Amino acid sequence: YIKDWNVAIEYNGDLFHANPKKYNKNDEPIPGSDTKAYKIWEKDNKKIKTINKERNINIIIIWESELPSYEELLKKVYEKR
């Protein structure tokens, strides 16, 4: 969280957050769990919307498989501030 700019960076693992570029909505990405990908997405979206609405914090989602360079990340943060 960058307090001065009111921007948070959320780092999502592809497996536990069911990266939509890797999983279909009815996939069960987490071994030993019967949780569908769309349920994970719903939970994550609810969390993001709640943080944004209640705290007015802009959130940047970074996926494990799409980790940006330092320069790219700074650009994303600057655009969200």
Side-chain angles (χ1 to χ4, degrees):
Y1 176 64
I2 304 168
K3 185 176 182 179
D4 290 344
W5 289 357
N6 207 35
V7 174
I9 300 168
E10 172 97 10
Y11 180 79
N12 284 346
D14 291 333
L15 178 74
F16 288 102
H17 291 272
N19 185 338
K21 291 184 179 177
K22 294 181 175 256
Y23 298 99
N24 294 315
K25 69 178 188 174
N26 288 316
D27 288 345
E28 298 172 351
I30 303 171
S33 172
D34 61 354
T35 304
K36 305 280 186 193
Y38 77 90
K39 287 291 191 184
I40 296 169
W41 301 335
E42 286 174 357
K43 181 180 175 186
D44 285 346
N45 286 333
K46 182 179 178 184
K47 174 183 68 176
I48 290 165
K49 286 179 184 177
T50 299
I51 291 169
N52 186 261
K53 183 177 179 182
E54 292 181 5
R55 307 283 173 132
N56 197 32
I57 296 172
N58 295 310
I59 300 174
I60 298 168
I61 304 297
I62 304 294
W63 287 98
E64 172 185 7
S65 60
E66 300 170 2
L67 187 61
S69 69
Y70 181 73
E71 292 79 16
E72 292 169 331
L73 181 57
L74 285 179
K75 183 179 176 185
K76 288 176 184 275
V77 169
Y78 187 76
E79 289 170 353
K80 282 284 189 176
R81 68 179 175 96

